Structures are given as C-alpha cells and as structure tokens.
Amino acid sequence: MRCLYWFASVFAIAIGVGLVGSTPASAAEPPIVPDLELNALKEAVRWPKADVTAVMALAGRLMAGRRDADGLAYFCERTASEPGRGLFLALEGVFQARQADTVSLFRRVAWVNDAVAKLDRGVALDPGLPRYLRGIVLAGLPERFGKARAAVEDLTWMLDNKERFPVGLRRGAYYGLAQAYTTLGREAEARDALARSGASRLDTAQPVFIADFSVSVRDGFRFRPPRLVEIAPGVHVAQGFDFGDIGFVSTDEGIVAIDAGTTDETARAALRALRRVTSKPITHVILTHAHWDHIGGLGALLESSPQVIAQAAFTEELGIVNGTGVPFRYFFGVTGSRRRYEVRPNHFVREREALIVGGTRFVLYPARGGETADALLIHVPDRGALFVGDAFMPYLGAPFVAEGSAEGLFDVLALIRSLQPSVLVHGHPPLTDIFTVEALPVIEAALRELHQRVRTAIAEGRTLAELLHDNILPGSLRERPASVLPYLVMRENFVKRVYHQSTGYWKPDGEGMEVLAPAEWAAALDLLGGHREDAFVRSVRALAERGDDVLALKLAQLGLVRYPSSEALAALRHRALDSLRLRYQQLSPFKFIIYSEWAGAELSPVE
C-alpha cells in the first residue's frame, strides 16, 4: 500500500498521546489559532539528524491536536527523505494505524496490517524506540488481529530496558500492557499493569498521558517518581520527592545539602532515601534562591544544626515570595501552598567565595540569575558538578511574579562558560536532562538572536501577538539538534518576559488601556448570540472540532458566566482543558499544572 499524502485535517476527541488508537471525526475547518510550537517542531524535525526528543515531541503534539492525517502525511514525507531512519518509518505506521477508522470496512484490515508491517520494518532498522511504538500499537488492536502476545513481548522488553529509553514512556508502556493483558483474558496482570500506569481504568473516552510526572491537590506536582540519583562521585540528587530537587554532596566531615524542597514532609522523605546511602550528618545547607520549592522544607534538614548559606539578595527575594499570593495549589500541594516562609540564613554570600568542608572545595558564585536576583551557583570542582538552581528556569522567573530577566540569564551563561563544569545540576529533573553543558553554546546563541529580534520588534512598536507569530527558530540550532527542544521550551516565556519588561501597561495595540471584566465580555458575547445558551454551545463545539482548544476554553468559560448551570458548556470546558493538558504535557508543565487544577483532574504516580 503506497504512502498516502492526506492534507485534510481530521480533528477527533483526543484520548491522549499514549500512542493508542484515536476516535475519528469528520473534516473541519483549520484552526483559527495556529499551533506555533507544532509548526516549529515540524521545521526542526526536517533538519538533518533531528533529535529523538524533538521527533517524539512533534508526534505527541500531532496526536494531542487530533492531527492524525497530518501526522501520517508528515512522517510519510520524512520516511521518503530519510528511508534508513527506523523511527520515522515506525511513526508513519503509528499514524496510519490511528487512521484505520477513516478507511472503508473492507479495506481496514489490510490498512492496519500494512501499518504493522511498517512498524516491523522500523524495528528492523532500529530495535529501540520503534519497538516500544510497535508494542503500543499492537496492544490497542482488537483481538481478531492476534497481536496481544506480541505487544506484551515488546512492552515487557521496553520496561526491562527502560534506561535505554527517553524519560516519560513507562506510563504508556504499562497502559499498553493493561490493554494487551485484557485482550488475552489475563485479568490479574491487566489490573496490576493498569495500577502501575497510574490510570484508573481503560476508557477510550478519557485522555491517556505518557509523561512520568504526577499531580494531585494533596501532593502537588512531581516531575517523576521518587529516586536518588548519583550524578557524580559522592554527589546525589533527590528527584521526584517534591516539586523541586534536593542535592547532597558527601564530604569527609558530613553532607552539604543544596536546597530544601517545599515542605518538611517531602524533605524528610528525600533525607530517608539519602540515609540508605550514608549516615553522615548535614553540616551545611546552601540555598540557590528564595523560591517556595527550594526553601520550604528547610526545617527537616536542621537536626544537626547546619550552617545555612544564601545569596546576599535572598531576604529581598523572600519578601517578594511572601508577598505574592499564587492561587494555584497543584504546584506544591495543600501543605506547600499559601504559607509565609521564615528563613534566616546565618551566612550571606556577597561575592565569590570558597568553602572547604571535609576536604571538599565548594566555590559559591552570587549571580543575577535568569529567574531571580538572588541566584547562588555552587561549584564543586573536584567532582565536576555545578549546581545552578533555577537560573535556567524556562519561565525567566515565576510567571506570576515580576522578576527574572534575559540579561540575568546571559550573565549566568557567561559564568558557566568560564567555569567549564562537567555536569550541570538544575533544580528540577527536566532541566538537568535537557539544559546540559554540551547544549548550552547553541542554546545561548539562539536565545541571543531571539533577544535581539524581540528588542528590535519592540522598538518598531510591534505587538506581542505579532512577535509570537513570527515563530522564530534560529538556524544556529541546526548545529546541535538536541538544543531544539530546550530552546522551544523557553521561547514563548522568554519573548513574553522581555516584552512585558520593555513596554508599559498600555500596549501598542491598545491592550491595557481599557480593562474589561469577564462578566462584561460575557454579556457582550451573549448579546451577539441573541441571549441564547445554545449559541455559546454551538460556537464552543465548532471551535473544539477544528482544534481551537484555547478559544474553546475561553468561550466556554465566558458562556458559563452567563449560564452557570449549563451542563453542555461545562462538559465542553472540561474537554478543552483535557485537550490542553495533552498538548502541553511535553513542553510546558506549568500550563499542564494550571489546566489540571482548573479541570480538577489529578494524575496518579507511575510505578
């Protein structure tokens, strides 16, 4: 069966990017709001030696946007251009399988078998990630195809070799196993796999997520399951116990802790994990900055009366934190939200200084970081590690706070260049994974170009929307494909931060001159719709069908202001939120967290 180039957009109710089947929908108008990150990923994946993480991010974004026909066409094109790359051929097979319900019944079996054959050829070329993809597709096939046992073999192999795979695939593998075991009638194994996936049930009407993170109102957001990782000799990082990470450096005298997490409870859990490695006392706690998720668990680390060290601007930043009423609970959980923090370091760093602890040298560098003005970098030169806290936080400061700067980020980048560390340890797992020493030169060059273009556009009086729609993807990223994803993770936030710090509260397009409340907008739209609830319902549904999830959400929320008891609008709002959660699970965890909280939707941990 030849490669088909379908350009008609198919927008289905998304059931997730877990690489399982999709529900077809009739062709709709193209979305009003372009998916800029999707378009940028398409361009970047056409570059030579496209990075695997960018390829998978693109595939996930296409699925989340219900663009299976577009995905099939795109990966047909990529396979034709690079026939030796098994991942492209496997993804062509994935999207073809997801399109099975759009072909006639008498062709469907042949269509699916051809998709599986492409997956088989992809695995033959590359027995890694394509095998996982094949297992997921086979797990979702009906019993008559007889592929459930093969799915179990593929997915079990993947879990047995999970260290060879990108982070964030275990949830999808367990969910696929639950499907395959159910098909085979192995109910006990299906229940166990489903529990390990963190999903509550096999339900094609529910979104299926593949990311390893979890979120709940009680515990807040966790980037991955709890683990203690040794990233350099005697340098451990506790990940997944909290929203932020805690570092531990072992010396002959004791342990130097880097940051303290969000709550005493989570810091104690991280400390228990460390105690399985060493019983040495904590002699020092060094705080990289004064944000909630790096200072809140300090009390749990003070049993041995360590010295607490912070940057000279720490107290000022702590005042900003205590004066900011962040309303979202899904970041830090019930116990980590809306607290007042009383942290009194007993030593402040005003300029570069060295600290010798148990024969291990620590060099402390105060910096104006990309996120806060009280950044403190901790270099452990004998171990090759540099702790940078959130100096690279992609939001250039908490999005809810007036802080952070591009200039501060560039200062930190220059400092890192001069120190030449072997490994960077960030305050959160994804940052450590993607903002590596090797990736920084190209990321810096791309961000400097972006900064210059944004500043030029601001001087020309262009609007923020125009700037974002320029969809800037510097050609310098071609030099290192692994830098594409970290650049895209930062781009939107970088542009917004620079723009808002460089313009007044009246914008060039008039935004801010008159501020209208949601109730006022809702009343105007209700007038336009003839004071009819069904006008809102029809419009929201039409926007959802064309993939305009952001517009669908906003209109649904305004409709609910006028018609608060509307079950149809409430359901459409929840559908839009699910779609946005799927869209942003790979590139914008902060948006995922907020949309999850608005939906009241939790995501259980994956085992």
Side-chain angles (χ1 to χ4, degrees), residues 227-230 234-238 241 246-250 254-258 267-283 301:
R227 66 175 187 172
L228 186 71
V229 185
E230 188 172 20
V235 179
H236 291 84
V237 180
F241 295 92
I246 303 176
F248 299 104
V249 181
S250 179
I255 301 297
V256 175
I258 312 294
R268 287 192 189 98
L271 193 55
R272 285 194 295 271
L274 178 70
R275 289 304 175 223
R276 291 193 284 270
V277 176
T278 177
S279 60
K280 292 177 181 178
I282 295 177
T283 61
L301 305 181

PDB file of all heavy atoms in Angstrom, residues 227-230 234-238 241 246-250 254-258 267-283 301:
ATOM      1  N   ARG A 227      13.311   9.131  43.365  1.00  0.00           N
ATOM      2  CA  ARG A 227      14.543   8.366  43.207  1.00  0.00           C
ATOM      3  C   ARG A 227      15.721   9.213  43.680  1.00  0.00           C
ATOM      4  O   ARG A 227      15.653  10.449  43.675  1.00  0.00           O
ATOM      5  CB  ARG A 227      14.761   7.938  41.757  1.00  0.00           C
ATOM      6  CG  ARG A 227      15.013   9.088  40.785  1.00  0.00           C
ATOM      7  CD  ARG A 227      15.334   8.573  39.387  1.00  0.00           C
ATOM      8  NE  ARG A 227      15.745   9.647  38.492  1.00  0.00           N
ATOM      9  CZ  ARG A 227      16.218   9.456  37.266  1.00  0.00           C
ATOM     10  NH1 ARG A 227      16.331   8.232  36.787  1.00  0.00           N
ATOM     11  NH2 ARG A 227      16.585  10.477  36.518  1.00  0.00           N
ATOM     12  N   LEU A 228      16.782   8.550  44.111  1.00  0.00           N
ATOM     13  CA  LEU A 228      18.020   9.213  44.482  1.00  0.00           C
ATOM     14  C   LEU A 228      19.052   8.851  43.428  1.00  0.00           C
ATOM     15  O   LEU A 228      19.373   7.680  43.229  1.00  0.00           O
ATOM     16  CB  LEU A 228      18.484   8.762  45.865  1.00  0.00           C
ATOM     17  CG  LEU A 228      19.699   9.504  46.436  1.00  0.00           C
ATOM     18  CD1 LEU A 228      19.305  10.928  46.825  1.00  0.00           C
ATOM     19  CD2 LEU A 228      20.267   8.763  47.642  1.00  0.00           C
ATOM     20  N   VAL A 229      19.560   9.860  42.737  1.00  0.00           N
ATOM     21  CA  VAL A 229      20.458   9.646  41.607  1.00  0.00           C
ATOM     22  C   VAL A 229      21.862  10.141  41.960  1.00  0.00           C
ATOM     23  O   VAL A 229      22.017  11.255  42.482  1.00  0.00           O
ATOM     24  CB  VAL A 229      19.958  10.398  40.356  1.00  0.00           C
ATOM     25  CG1 VAL A 229      20.826  10.066  39.154  1.00  0.00           C
ATOM     26  CG2 VAL A 229      18.503  10.071  40.066  1.00  0.00           C
ATOM     27  N   GLU A 230      22.866   9.344  41.679  1.00  0.00           N
ATOM     28  CA  GLU A 230      24.251   9.789  41.846  1.00  0.00           C
ATOM     29  C   GLU A 230      24.732  10.326  40.508  1.00  0.00           C
ATOM     30  O   GLU A 230      24.978   9.570  39.574  1.00  0.00           O
ATOM     31  CB  GLU A 230      25.148   8.659  42.331  1.00  0.00           C
ATOM     32  CG  GLU A 230      26.552   9.137  42.687  1.00  0.00           C
ATOM     33  CD  GLU A 230      27.404   8.064  43.356  1.00  0.00           C
ATOM     34  OE1 GLU A 230      27.067   6.870  43.203  1.00  0.00           O
ATOM     35  OE2 GLU A 230      28.402   8.418  44.017  1.00  0.00           O
ATOM     36  N   GLY A 234      29.928  10.802  44.798  1.00  0.00           N
ATOM     37  CA  GLY A 234      29.556  11.427  46.062  1.00  0.00           C
ATOM     38  C   GLY A 234      28.580  12.571  45.939  1.00  0.00           C
ATOM     39  O   GLY A 234      28.338  13.306  46.905  1.00  0.00           O
ATOM     40  N   VAL A 235      27.984  12.757  44.769  1.00  0.00           N
ATOM     41  CA  VAL A 235      27.011  13.831  44.541  1.00  0.00           C
ATOM     42  C   VAL A 235      25.675  13.188  44.166  1.00  0.00           C
ATOM     43  O   VAL A 235      25.530  12.607  43.097  1.00  0.00           O
ATOM     44  CB  VAL A 235      27.460  14.794  43.433  1.00  0.00           C
ATOM     45  CG1 VAL A 235      26.411  15.881  43.203  1.00  0.00           C
ATOM     46  CG2 VAL A 235      28.811  15.413  43.778  1.00  0.00           C
ATOM     47  N   HIS A 236      24.715  13.272  45.075  1.00  0.00           N
ATOM     48  CA  HIS A 236      23.402  12.679  44.864  1.00  0.00           C
ATOM     49  C   HIS A 236      22.343  13.771  44.711  1.00  0.00           C
ATOM     50  O   HIS A 236      22.456  14.852  45.301  1.00  0.00           O
ATOM     51  CB  HIS A 236      23.013  11.771  46.032  1.00  0.00           C
ATOM     52  CG  HIS A 236      23.834  10.513  46.110  1.00  0.00           C
ATOM     53  ND1 HIS A 236      25.070  10.471  46.734  1.00  0.00           N
ATOM     54  CD2 HIS A 236      23.601   9.259  45.645  1.00  0.00           C
ATOM     55  CE1 HIS A 236      25.559   9.246  46.649  1.00  0.00           C
ATOM     56  NE2 HIS A 236      24.693   8.496  45.998  1.00  0.00           N
ATOM     57  N   VAL A 237      21.310  13.464  43.938  1.00  0.00           N
ATOM     58  CA  VAL A 237      20.182  14.376  43.776  1.00  0.00           C
ATOM     59  C   VAL A 237      18.905  13.595  44.052  1.00  0.00           C
ATOM     60  O   VAL A 237      18.669  12.544  43.454  1.00  0.00           O
ATOM     61  CB  VAL A 237      20.136  14.992  42.368  1.00  0.00           C
ATOM     62  CG1 VAL A 237      18.931  15.932  42.242  1.00  0.00           C
ATOM     63  CG2 VAL A 237      21.425  15.755  42.072  1.00  0.00           C
ATOM     64  N   ALA A 238      18.091  14.109  44.963  1.00  0.00           N
ATOM     65  CA  ALA A 238      16.792  13.515  45.266  1.00  0.00           C
ATOM     66  C   ALA A 238      15.766  14.132  44.329  1.00  0.00           C
ATOM     67  O   ALA A 238      15.473  15.328  44.416  1.00  0.00           O
ATOM     68  CB  ALA A 238      16.414  13.768  46.719  1.00  0.00           C
ATOM     69  N   PHE A 241      10.650  13.569  44.915  1.00  0.00           N
ATOM     70  CA  PHE A 241      10.080  13.616  46.257  1.00  0.00           C
ATOM     71  C   PHE A 241       9.278  14.901  46.458  1.00  0.00           C
ATOM     72  O   PHE A 241       8.497  15.012  47.399  1.00  0.00           O
ATOM     73  CB  PHE A 241      11.190  13.555  47.308  1.00  0.00           C
ATOM     74  CG  PHE A 241      11.940  12.252  47.316  1.00  0.00           C
ATOM     75  CD1 PHE A 241      13.087  12.094  46.551  1.00  0.00           C
ATOM     76  CD2 PHE A 241      11.490  11.177  48.070  1.00  0.00           C
ATOM     77  CE1 PHE A 241      13.787  10.896  46.548  1.00  0.00           C
ATOM     78  CE2 PHE A 241      12.187   9.973  48.074  1.00  0.00           C
ATOM     79  CZ  PHE A 241      13.331   9.830  47.302  1.00  0.00           C
ATOM     80  N   ILE A 246      16.536  18.180  45.578  1.00  0.00           N
ATOM     81  CA  ILE A 246      17.456  18.487  46.667  1.00  0.00           C
ATOM     82  C   ILE A 246      18.771  17.774  46.373  1.00  0.00           C
ATOM     83  O   ILE A 246      18.778  16.564  46.108  1.00  0.00           O
ATOM     84  CB  ILE A 246      16.904  18.025  48.025  1.00  0.00           C
ATOM     85  CG1 ILE A 246      15.528  18.654  48.292  1.00  0.00           C
ATOM     86  CG2 ILE A 246      17.883  18.385  49.146  1.00  0.00           C
ATOM     87  CD1 ILE A 246      14.873  18.170  49.573  1.00  0.00           C
ATOM     88  N   GLY A 247      19.875  18.514  46.410  1.00  0.00           N
ATOM     89  CA  GLY A 247      21.186  17.929  46.166  1.00  0.00           C
ATOM     90  C   GLY A 247      21.894  17.608  47.475  1.00  0.00           C
ATOM     91  O   GLY A 247      21.695  18.294  48.491  1.00  0.00           O
ATOM     92  N   PHE A 248      22.724  16.570  47.451  1.00  0.00           N
ATOM     93  CA  PHE A 248      23.507  16.183  48.626  1.00  0.00           C
ATOM     94  C   PHE A 248      24.929  15.875  48.167  1.00  0.00           C
ATOM     95  O   PHE A 248      25.143  14.991  47.335  1.00  0.00           O
ATOM     96  CB  PHE A 248      22.920  14.944  49.305  1.00  0.00           C
ATOM     97  CG  PHE A 248      21.510  15.118  49.815  1.00  0.00           C
ATOM     98  CD1 PHE A 248      20.438  14.554  49.125  1.00  0.00           C
ATOM     99  CD2 PHE A 248      21.257  15.841  50.967  1.00  0.00           C
ATOM    100  CE1 PHE A 248      19.144  14.695  49.595  1.00  0.00           C
ATOM    101  CE2 PHE A 248      19.955  15.995  51.447  1.00  0.00           C
ATOM    102  CZ  PHE A 248      18.900  15.421  50.753  1.00  0.00           C
ATOM    103  N   VAL A 249      25.897  16.581  48.726  1.00  0.00           N
ATOM    104  CA  VAL A 249      27.305  16.345  48.400  1.00  0.00           C
ATOM    105  C   VAL A 249      27.983  15.774  49.641  1.00  0.00           C
ATOM    106  O   VAL A 249      28.000  16.401  50.707  1.00  0.00           O
ATOM    107  CB  VAL A 249      28.011  17.635  47.960  1.00  0.00           C
ATOM    108  CG1 VAL A 249      29.461  17.343  47.602  1.00  0.00           C
ATOM    109  CG2 VAL A 249      27.286  18.269  46.784  1.00  0.00           C
ATOM    110  N   SER A 250      28.540  14.584  49.491  1.00  0.00           N
ATOM    111  CA  SER A 250      29.175  13.898  50.620  1.00  0.00           C
ATOM    112  C   SER A 250      30.635  14.343  50.750  1.00  0.00           C
ATOM    113  O   SER A 250      31.384  14.354  49.771  1.00  0.00           O
ATOM    114  CB  SER A 250      29.110  12.386  50.411  1.00  0.00           C
ATOM    115  OG  SER A 250      29.732  11.702  51.475  1.00  0.00           O
ATOM    116  N   GLY A 254      30.873  15.562  56.493  1.00  0.00           N
ATOM    117  CA  GLY A 254      29.427  15.383  56.513  1.00  0.00           C
ATOM    118  C   GLY A 254      28.824  15.702  55.164  1.00  0.00           C
ATOM    119  O   GLY A 254      29.520  15.685  54.137  1.00  0.00           O
ATOM    120  N   ILE A 255      27.538  16.015  55.165  1.00  0.00           N
ATOM    121  CA  ILE A 255      26.783  16.255  53.936  1.00  0.00           C
ATOM    122  C   ILE A 255      26.491  17.736  53.781  1.00  0.00           C
ATOM    123  O   ILE A 255      26.044  18.401  54.730  1.00  0.00           O
ATOM    124  CB  ILE A 255      25.447  15.476  53.958  1.00  0.00           C
ATOM    125  CG1 ILE A 255      25.687  13.979  54.114  1.00  0.00           C
ATOM    126  CG2 ILE A 255      24.636  15.777  52.694  1.00  0.00           C
ATOM    127  CD1 ILE A 255      26.438  13.348  52.972  1.00  0.00           C
ATOM    128  N   VAL A 256      26.742  18.246  52.578  1.00  0.00           N
ATOM    129  CA  VAL A 256      26.323  19.592  52.211  1.00  0.00           C
ATOM    130  C   VAL A 256      25.066  19.445  51.359  1.00  0.00           C
ATOM    131  O   VAL A 256      25.102  18.837  50.282  1.00  0.00           O
ATOM    132  CB  VAL A 256      27.422  20.342  51.440  1.00  0.00           C
ATOM    133  CG1 VAL A 256      26.900  21.701  50.966  1.00  0.00           C
ATOM    134  CG2 VAL A 256      28.654  20.521  52.316  1.00  0.00           C
ATOM    135  N   ALA A 257      23.940  19.959  51.864  1.00  0.00           N
ATOM    136  CA  ALA A 257      22.678  19.897  51.127  1.00  0.00           C
ATOM    137  C   ALA A 257      22.529  21.142  50.280  1.00  0.00           C
ATOM    138  O   ALA A 257      22.865  22.249  50.708  1.00  0.00           O
ATOM    139  CB  ALA A 257      21.507  19.762  52.088  1.00  0.00           C
ATOM    140  N   ILE A 258      22.030  20.950  49.075  1.00  0.00           N
ATOM    141  CA  ILE A 258      21.767  22.063  48.168  1.00  0.00           C
ATOM    142  C   ILE A 258      20.253  22.166  48.004  1.00  0.00           C
ATOM    143  O   ILE A 258      19.614  21.304  47.394  1.00  0.00           O
ATOM    144  CB  ILE A 258      22.421  21.859  46.786  1.00  0.00           C
ATOM    145  CG1 ILE A 258      23.883  21.429  46.922  1.00  0.00           C
ATOM    146  CG2 ILE A 258      22.273  23.127  45.941  1.00  0.00           C
ATOM    147  CD1 ILE A 258      24.795  22.451  47.513  1.00  0.00           C
ATOM    148  N   ALA A 267      10.987  16.890  52.299  1.00  0.00           N
ATOM    149  CA  ALA A 267      12.432  16.920  52.570  1.00  0.00           C
ATOM    150  C   ALA A 267      12.839  15.718  53.427  1.00  0.00           C
ATOM    151  O   ALA A 267      13.907  15.130  53.225  1.00  0.00           O
ATOM    152  CB  ALA A 267      12.809  18.229  53.253  1.00  0.00           C
ATOM    153  N   ARG A 268      11.986  15.328  54.384  1.00  0.00           N
ATOM    154  CA  ARG A 268      12.301  14.142  55.204  1.00  0.00           C
ATOM    155  C   ARG A 268      12.319  12.880  54.350  1.00  0.00           C
ATOM    156  O   ARG A 268      13.142  11.984  54.574  1.00  0.00           O
ATOM    157  CB  ARG A 268      11.285  14.013  56.340  1.00  0.00           C
ATOM    158  CG  ARG A 268      11.449  15.031  57.449  1.00  0.00           C
ATOM    159  CD  ARG A 268      10.616  14.665  58.665  1.00  0.00           C
ATOM    160  NE  ARG A 268      10.618  15.776  59.628  1.00  0.00           N
ATOM    161  CZ  ARG A 268       9.640  16.672  59.734  1.00  0.00           C
ATOM    162  NH1 ARG A 268       8.567  16.564  58.949  1.00  0.00           N
ATOM    163  NH2 ARG A 268       9.732  17.646  60.607  1.00  0.00           N
ATOM    164  N   ALA A 269      11.390  12.790  53.399  1.00  0.00           N
ATOM    165  CA  ALA A 269      11.366  11.613  52.514  1.00  0.00           C
ATOM    166  C   ALA A 269      12.655  11.529  51.704  1.00  0.00           C
ATOM    167  O   ALA A 269      13.235  10.451  51.535  1.00  0.00           O
ATOM    168  CB  ALA A 269      10.147  11.674  51.595  1.00  0.00           C
ATOM    169  N   ALA A 270      13.120  12.675  51.202  1.00  0.00           N
ATOM    170  CA  ALA A 270      14.383  12.691  50.454  1.00  0.00           C
ATOM    171  C   ALA A 270      15.545  12.315  51.363  1.00  0.00           C
ATOM    172  O   ALA A 270      16.463  11.591  50.961  1.00  0.00           O
ATOM    173  CB  ALA A 270      14.594  14.072  49.842  1.00  0.00           C
ATOM    174  N   LEU A 271      15.498  12.801  52.590  1.00  0.00           N
ATOM    175  CA  LEU A 271      16.576  12.505  53.534  1.00  0.00           C
ATOM    176  C   LEU A 271      16.605  11.016  53.883  1.00  0.00           C
ATOM    177  O   LEU A 271      17.679  10.421  54.032  1.00  0.00           O
ATOM    178  CB  LEU A 271      16.390  13.350  54.790  1.00  0.00           C
ATOM    179  CG  LEU A 271      17.557  13.424  55.775  1.00  0.00           C
ATOM    180  CD1 LEU A 271      18.828  13.896  55.083  1.00  0.00           C
ATOM    181  CD2 LEU A 271      17.195  14.353  56.932  1.00  0.00           C
ATOM    182  N   ARG A 272      15.415  10.392  53.991  1.00  0.00           N
ATOM    183  CA  ARG A 272      15.379   8.945  54.254  1.00  0.00           C
ATOM    184  C   ARG A 272      16.040   8.166  53.126  1.00  0.00           C
ATOM    185  O   ARG A 272      16.737   7.165  53.361  1.00  0.00           O
ATOM    186  CB  ARG A 272      13.932   8.485  54.453  1.00  0.00           C
ATOM    187  CG  ARG A 272      13.342   8.876  55.805  1.00  0.00           C
ATOM    188  CD  ARG A 272      12.067   8.118  56.087  1.00  0.00           C
ATOM    189  NE  ARG A 272      11.001   8.443  55.155  1.00  0.00           N
ATOM    190  CZ  ARG A 272      10.131   9.444  55.340  1.00  0.00           C
ATOM    191  NH1 ARG A 272      10.215  10.234  56.403  1.00  0.00           N
ATOM    192  NH2 ARG A 272       9.179   9.659  54.460  1.00  0.00           N
ATOM    193  N   ALA A 273      15.817   8.615  51.896  1.00  0.00           N
ATOM    194  CA  ALA A 273      16.472   7.955  50.762  1.00  0.00           C
ATOM    195  C   ALA A 273      17.986   8.113  50.849  1.00  0.00           C
ATOM    196  O   ALA A 273      18.749   7.174  50.583  1.00  0.00           O
ATOM    197  CB  ALA A 273      15.948   8.534  49.447  1.00  0.00           C
ATOM    198  N   LEU A 274      18.442   9.295  51.252  1.00  0.00           N
ATOM    199  CA  LEU A 274      19.881   9.513  51.402  1.00  0.00           C
ATOM    200  C   LEU A 274      20.458   8.628  52.500  1.00  0.00           C
ATOM    201  O   LEU A 274      21.585   8.130  52.378  1.00  0.00           O
ATOM    202  CB  LEU A 274      20.149  10.986  51.716  1.00  0.00           C
ATOM    203  CG  LEU A 274      21.613  11.353  51.950  1.00  0.00           C
ATOM    204  CD1 LEU A 274      22.403  11.258  50.650  1.00  0.00           C
ATOM    205  CD2 LEU A 274      21.744  12.746  52.560  1.00  0.00           C
ATOM    206  N   ARG A 275      19.692   8.423  53.566  1.00  0.00           N
ATOM    207  CA  ARG A 275      20.200   7.639  54.696  1.00  0.00           C
ATOM    208  C   ARG A 275      20.427   6.169  54.338  1.00  0.00           C
ATOM    209  O   ARG A 275      21.119   5.446  55.061  1.00  0.00           O
ATOM    210  CB  ARG A 275      19.225   7.745  55.879  1.00  0.00           C
ATOM    211  CG  ARG A 275      19.217   9.122  56.538  1.00  0.00           C
ATOM    212  CD  ARG A 275      20.613   9.493  56.987  1.00  0.00           C
ATOM    213  NE  ARG A 275      20.720  10.854  57.517  1.00  0.00           N
ATOM    214  CZ  ARG A 275      21.702  11.682  57.231  1.00  0.00           C
ATOM    215  NH1 ARG A 275      22.652  11.301  56.366  1.00  0.00           N
ATOM    216  NH2 ARG A 275      21.757  12.879  57.770  1.00  0.00           N
ATOM    217  N   ARG A 276      19.882   5.733  53.232  1.00  0.00           N
ATOM    218  CA  ARG A 276      20.187   4.373  52.762  1.00  0.00           C
ATOM    219  C   ARG A 276      21.566   4.320  52.107  1.00  0.00           C
ATOM    220  O   ARG A 276      22.083   3.240  51.816  1.00  0.00           O
ATOM    221  CB  ARG A 276      19.104   3.902  51.797  1.00  0.00           C
ATOM    222  CG  ARG A 276      17.762   3.655  52.473  1.00  0.00           C
ATOM    223  CD  ARG A 276      16.800   2.902  51.568  1.00  0.00           C
ATOM    224  NE  ARG A 276      16.233   3.754  50.535  1.00  0.00           N
ATOM    225  CZ  ARG A 276      15.108   4.453  50.670  1.00  0.00           C
ATOM    226  NH1 ARG A 276      14.436   4.397  51.816  1.00  0.00           N
ATOM    227  NH2 ARG A 276      14.634   5.192  49.686  1.00  0.00           N
ATOM    228  N   VAL A 277      22.141   5.497  51.863  1.00  0.00           N
ATOM    229  CA  VAL A 277      23.463   5.595  51.243  1.00  0.00           C
ATOM    230  C   VAL A 277      24.521   5.998  52.263  1.00  0.00           C
ATOM    231  O   VAL A 277      25.646   5.492  52.257  1.00  0.00           O
ATOM    232  CB  VAL A 277      23.427   6.611  50.077  1.00  0.00           C
ATOM    233  CG1 VAL A 277      24.817   6.805  49.484  1.00  0.00           C
ATOM    234  CG2 VAL A 277      22.446   6.166  49.004  1.00  0.00           C
ATOM    235  N   THR A 278      24.169   6.929  53.155  1.00  0.00           N
ATOM    236  CA  THR A 278      25.135   7.437  54.127  1.00  0.00           C
ATOM    237  C   THR A 278      24.410   7.920  55.378  1.00  0.00           C
ATOM    238  O   THR A 278      23.277   8.407  55.298  1.00  0.00           O
ATOM    239  CB  THR A 278      25.965   8.593  53.541  1.00  0.00           C
ATOM    240  OG1 THR A 278      26.836   9.103  54.555  1.00  0.00           O
ATOM    241  CG2 THR A 278      25.083   9.717  53.054  1.00  0.00           C
ATOM    242  N   SER A 279      25.065   7.810  56.504  1.00  0.00           N
ATOM    243  CA  SER A 279      24.510   8.293  57.778  1.00  0.00           C
ATOM    244  C   SER A 279      25.194   9.575  58.239  1.00  0.00           C
ATOM    245  O   SER A 279      24.960  10.034  59.358  1.00  0.00           O
ATOM    246  CB  SER A 279      24.665   7.216  58.860  1.00  0.00           C
ATOM    247  OG  SER A 279      26.043   6.899  59.057  1.00  0.00           O
ATOM    248  N   LYS A 280      26.029  10.152  57.404  1.00  0.00           N
ATOM    249  CA  LYS A 280      26.751  11.363  57.795  1.00  0.00           C
ATOM    250  C   LYS A 280      25.780  12.508  58.094  1.00  0.00           C
ATOM    251  O   LYS A 280      24.738  12.634  57.446  1.00  0.00           O
ATOM    252  CB  LYS A 280      27.703  11.788  56.675  1.00  0.00           C
ATOM    253  CG  LYS A 280      28.857  10.827  56.446  1.00  0.00           C
ATOM    254  CD  LYS A 280      29.717  11.295  55.269  1.00  0.00           C
ATOM    255  CE  LYS A 280      30.878  10.329  55.011  1.00  0.00           C
ATOM    256  NZ  LYS A 280      31.690  10.749  53.840  1.00  0.00           N
ATOM    257  N   PRO A 281      26.117  13.365  59.047  1.00  0.00           N
ATOM    258  CA  PRO A 281      25.236  14.493  59.390  1.00  0.00           C
ATOM    259  C   PRO A 281      25.284  15.584  58.313  1.00  0.00           C
ATOM    260  O   PRO A 281      26.257  15.681  57.551  1.00  0.00           O
ATOM    261  CB  PRO A 281      25.825  15.005  60.702  1.00  0.00           C
ATOM    262  CG  PRO A 281      27.280  14.667  60.593  1.00  0.00           C
ATOM    263  CD  PRO A 281      27.333  13.330  59.886  1.00  0.00           C
ATOM    264  N   ILE A 282      24.238  16.379  58.269  1.00  0.00           N
ATOM    265  CA  ILE A 282      24.233  17.541  57.373  1.00  0.00           C
ATOM    266  C   ILE A 282      24.941  18.681  58.081  1.00  0.00           C
ATOM    267  O   ILE A 282      24.547  19.104  59.172  1.00  0.00           O
ATOM    268  CB  ILE A 282      22.793  17.932  56.997  1.00  0.00           C
ATOM    269  CG1 ILE A 282      22.151  16.813  56.184  1.00  0.00           C
ATOM    270  CG2 ILE A 282      22.775  19.248  56.226  1.00  0.00           C
ATOM    271  CD1 ILE A 282      20.709  17.057  55.812  1.00  0.00           C
ATOM    272  N   THR A 283      26.005  19.170  57.470  1.00  0.00           N
ATOM    273  CA  THR A 283      26.805  20.243  58.074  1.00  0.00           C
ATOM    274  C   THR A 283      26.465  21.616  57.514  1.00  0.00           C
ATOM    275  O   THR A 283      26.654  22.625  58.187  1.00  0.00           O
ATOM    276  CB  THR A 283      28.304  19.976  57.861  1.00  0.00           C
ATOM    277  OG1 THR A 283      28.578  19.949  56.449  1.00  0.00           O
ATOM    278  CG2 THR A 283      28.705  18.642  58.471  1.00  0.00           C
ATOM    279  N   LEU A 301      15.912  19.650  57.657  1.00  0.00           N
ATOM    280  CA  LEU A 301      17.348  19.454  57.468  1.00  0.00           C
ATOM    281  C   LEU A 301      18.187  20.085  58.579  1.00  0.00           C
ATOM    282  O   LEU A 301      19.408  20.097  58.503  1.00  0.00           O
ATOM    283  CB  LEU A 301      17.781  20.050  56.118  1.00  0.00           C
ATOM    284  CG  LEU A 301      17.032  19.548  54.879  1.00  0.00           C
ATOM    285  CD1 LEU A 301      17.589  20.221  53.625  1.00  0.00           C
ATOM    286  CD2 LEU A 301      17.115  18.040  54.757  1.00  0.00           C
TER     287      LEU A 301
END
